[in-house]
Amino acid sequence: MGLFGKKDKLQIIAFQSYGTDSHFYARGRALEDEEIDLSQKGFFNLIWNSYKRFETDEIRNTSVRIKLSDGRTLSGKTDKRGYYVFDESLEDLGQLTNQEGWLNYEIAYDDSALRREILHQNRFPGEVLIPSENAEFGVISDIDDTILHTGVVSSLKWRVVVNTIFKRASKRTPLKGSAEFYGLLHRGKSGEAANPIFYVSHSPWNLYRYLELFLQENDFPKGPILLRNFPRLGSGKSRAEKPQKQKEILNILKTYPNLKFILIGDSGEHDADIYKEIAELYPNQVSAIYLRSVAHKKRMERVSGLFETYKTTPVLLVESSEQAIAHAKQNGFIK
């Protein structure tokens, strides 16, 4: 709801997702348009935009429709938090992709009872990545403190709050050399491949556009950005339940059983444990693990000990992007 009771226009944010030649998987969220301008400068504008990113007015239980470039249509509905998921078996989707493997589609509201003004003539673009069968390998990378300094390992997480709320995405600095490294991985050993890159983070979907802009502004290869839902109040998480990041990685490996992957993360939080467990479950699919070192002595000692006798998969604790690039060349991942 806008100021003075005026209703905001409606929008749909389509999250970049991934699928196969016979599996269409797309998700996103239907929301009121809060007119968030990620390029705005000034302290109060940053505070106001950050508030609007998390104070969302979702469009619940509303019909939506997807149209593919060949005319095929799919019908679905948003849930009580405004999210939609299309999980469909379709044929010959690879024929609809571009050279990088992206399938473009349009999504629209499909409910005549809404009686609300809708942005962009009710036509919102979406993309699904369908990796080529000629891809040499895939990359699954964490975002926080792996390519973007967030301060996840700082005490009380205060740096995460400061960096996310008080800094524009276009002014956030990537970790040195990371965009070059990812570009080389994307092009692979041949220098002409389109190896898929998947970005995973524990951040909520509310930060999707913020992180998307950060990756674009810093010339990272385009890839699905996989985040998590905010937990509902009172919905305690079972200790046996896997972190959402781990679930996403496992789903990617299951989706592409014939594709090998490089896992990239940092040694600050739980990436080392998650990646080690995944590599032990899928030793034939994980070609290497890169863990960027963080400035935290005890955590570095713990991670070093974790992999001291580990032989299943090559593991490199990365001090710099130059070191990672050299290792990737030696192992035939990049040109």
Side-chain angles (χ1 to χ4, degrees):
M1 186 72 73
L3 294 175
F4 311 112
K6 181 181 177 181
K7 290 186 176 181
D8 292 322
K9 299 174 185 178
L10 302 186
Q11 63 173 334
I12 298 177
I13 299 176
F15 306 139
Q16 289 170 344
S17 192
Y18 58 93
T20 69
D21 184 60
S22 58
H23 183 197
F24 181 84
Y25 183 75
R27 56 185 171 184
R29 201 175 190 191
L31 300 165
E32 291 186 356
D33 177 33
E34 302 292 345
E35 298 183 342
I36 297 173
D37 183 355
L38 292 173
S39 67
Q40 278 188 319
K41 301 177 182 179
F43 178 79
F44 290 107
N45 283 330
L46 289 169
I47 291 289
W48 182 239
N49 280 334
S50 296
Y51 167 75
K52 288 191 290 186
R53 282 205 299 268
F54 290 94
E55 196 284 311
T56 54
D57 293 310
E58 58 270 12
I59 311 303
R60 307 178 182 90
N61 305 314
T62 300
S63 297
V64 291
R65 181 185 70 256
I66 278 180
K67 183 177 181 180
L68 304 183
S69 60
D70 62 359
R72 283 183 280 182
T73 60
L74 302 169
S75 297
K77 200 168 187 178
T78 63
D79 64 16
K80 59 185 178 182
R81 303 178 80 184
Y83 292 101
Y84 67 81
V85 175
F86 285 82
D87 192 348
E88 305 281 346
S89 294
L90 297 174
E91 296 301 319
D92 302 322
L93 293 173
Q95 296 180 7
L96 307 181
T97 63
N98 62 20
Q99 290 183 338
E100 292 286 310
W102 289 98
L103 180 153
N104 294 297
Y105 67 87
E106 283 188 354
I107 184 164
Y109 287 98
D110 195 25
D111 187 346
S112 58
L114 278 174
R115 302 188 185 282
R116 298 279 296 275
E117 186 175 356
I118 303 174
L119 291 175
H120 308 308
Q121 293 81 50
N122 195 22
R123 297 174 63 184
F124 299 91
E127 293 179 300
V128 174
L129 178 63
I130 300 178
S132 167
E133 293 181 357
N134 297 321
E136 299 167 358
F137 55 83
V139 176
I140 303 174
S141 173
D142 182 37
I143 295 176
D144 313 315
D145 282 319
T146 300
I147 59 176
L148 170 64
H149 180 67
T150 61
V152 163
V153 297
S154 65
S155 60
L156 303 179
K157 313 299 184 189
W158 66 270
R159 287 183 183 170
V160 177
V161 177
V162 170
N163 286 331
T164 303
I165 294 179
F166 299 106
K167 289 185 179 180
R168 287 179 290 144
S170 60
K171 293 298 182 182
R172 297 292 295 275
T173 303
L175 292 172
K176 186 178 178 182
S178 52
E180 178 191 358
F181 180 42
Y182 284 55
L184 290 169
L185 290 172
H186 179 56
R187 292 303 170 200
K189 186 176 181 179
S190 68
E192 299 178 354
N195 296 325
I197 297 185
F198 304 84
Y199 300 95
V200 296
S201 172
H202 197 58
S203 297
W205 285 110
N206 305 65
L207 292 178
Y208 177 83
R209 283 186 163 170
Y210 183 92
L211 294 172
E212 182 184 41
L213 179 60
F214 165 79
L215 293 172
Q216 290 173 353
E217 290 283 325
N218 291 286
D219 297 322
F220 282 90
K222 185 167 74 171
I225 302 170
L226 309 169
L227 308 178
R228 69 179 178 99
N229 296 341
F230 261 141
R232 293 181 178 87
L233 292 176
S235 61
K237 181 179 176 181
S238 167
R239 286 189 176 183
E241 188 177 348
K242 300 291 186 186
Q244 182 61 30
K245 183 193 296 186
Q246 187 167 356
K247 292 179 183 178
E248 289 286 3
I249 296 172
L250 291 172
N251 190 59
I252 293 168
L253 295 178
K254 292 173 185 176
T255 301
Y256 308 110
N258 298 320
L259 192 61
K260 294 182 180 295
F261 284 88
I262 295 171
L263 307 182
I264 307 177
D266 68 87
S267 55
E269 287 283 288
H270 306 294
D271 289 351
D273 303 88
I274 291 173
Y275 290 3
K276 182 173 182 285
E277 181 178 335
I278 290 172
E280 289 173 339
L281 289 172
Y282 295 89
N284 295 325
Q285 269 193 275
V286 180
S287 296
I289 297 172
Y290 292 102
L291 293 170
R292 186 178 287 273
S293 302
V294 297
H296 195 291
K297 185 179 179 180
K298 287 186 178 180
R299 297 193 186 199
M300 285 300 301
E301 289 176 350
R302 188 189 76 82
V303 171
S304 296
L306 188 66
F307 290 104
E308 190 172 1
T309 59
Y310 181 76
K311 303 297 181 183
T312 305
T313 303
V315 178
L316 182 68
L317 297 183
V318 180
E319 297 289 344
S320 67
S321 294
E322 290 82 0
Q323 184 184 3
I325 290 171
H327 182 275
K329 286 182 178 178
Q330 290 171 4
N331 283 271
F333 300 139
I334 63 177
K335 190 174 180 180

